[in-house]
Amino acid sequence: MDPIRIAVVGLGKIARDQHLPAIRGNPAFSLAATVSPDDPGPVGVPHLARLEDLLNKGPAVDAVALCTPPQVRYGLAAMALKRGVHVFLEKPPGATLSEVAALRDRAAKVDATLFAAWHSRFAAGVAPARAWLSDRKVERVSVTWREDVRVWHPGQAWIWEPGGLGVFDPGINALSIITHILPRPVFLKTATLSIPENRAAPIAADLQFCDTAGADIHMDLDWRQTGPQSWDIEVETDAGTLKLSSGGAVLTLPTGTEHADDLEYAGLYARFANLIRGGRSDVDIDPLRLVADAFLRGRRETVAAFHD
């Protein structure tokens, strides 16, 4: 079976650190091209400034991985799908729920694969956590997702603009995990969004959710953390407490702690290849819906200006 010819569109940190190595490590894919108006791309790989140029002039591709900021992703994805090209959407899958739904419908009409990729769901501890929780009664959940924006997103102005999500850019990773591992649906009750006086998106958020059985779920998001970073989820159940730490890589159960290697993006690309070979799409919008609910229902408070 011939490898899937894929182009990576957008060559920021996530593309270079995660996407390119994952593609090179998966024999189901061959890196056919890269696209960026600013970055020349890796040596030896055909490079174009615009996706339109790639689709019109070649080299031929079967799929694209869109690693651009979410505000511009809809037009790129629609352009690719119009040509019957499969599309991998880095998280978040779009700037709005409506545009992601439109892309899902368009992909179905042209029989192309659309994959909304939630990389944190492929962290080593997530699948066994989901299995362990499947027959437990969840009593309480605490999510602490605190990191230093200057370390992880230095100088990225787009992330502070409408559609860039602010602290929900990392926070949506936690939401992608809890919507995947908890056995019942989750919805928002209250939220407070802390927005710097010189920015359009929040730098911190305090959120209260619950599941449909009434279990309390509290989330603490903050981009002002210095020193050790915190990416932790604790789930109290009738059988003891489950903890996912290091963004889901480390799972602690009442019986002990499990560690495994970080293979998130390898898992994403294995999933994408299987979807393409099977003629299917995977467009879960639950994490983005919860973010949208926070912006819809959350109380806003102005905090001190933020400068990189």
Side-chain angles (χ1 to χ4, degrees), residues 165 167-168 188 190-196 200-207 221 224 290-303:
L165 300 191
V167 75
F168 285 100
L188 181 74
T190 63
T192 299
L193 311 182
S194 300
I195 303 174
I203 197 169
D206 187 87
L207 306 109
L221 304 179
R224 298 166 295 193
L290 291 175
V291 173
D293 287 347
F295 280 96
L296 180 67
R297 190 171 182 182
R299 179 174 64 86
R300 289 158 173 78
E301 63 176 17
T302 301
V303 297

Side-chain angles (χ1 to χ4, degrees), residues 81 85-88 107 111-115 272 275-276 279-281:
L81 291 172
V85 173
H86 310 296
V87 175
F88 178 121
D111 293 324
T113 290
L114 182 67
F115 181 32
F272 191 35
L275 290 170
I276 292 171
R280 296 175 291 124
S281 290

Side-chain angles (χ1 to χ4, degrees), residues 131-142:
W132 192 84
L133 288 170
S134 63
D135 59 355
R136 263 73 181 191
K137 178 184 177 183
V138 174
E139 297 173 346
R140 188 175 294 103
V141 181
S142 175

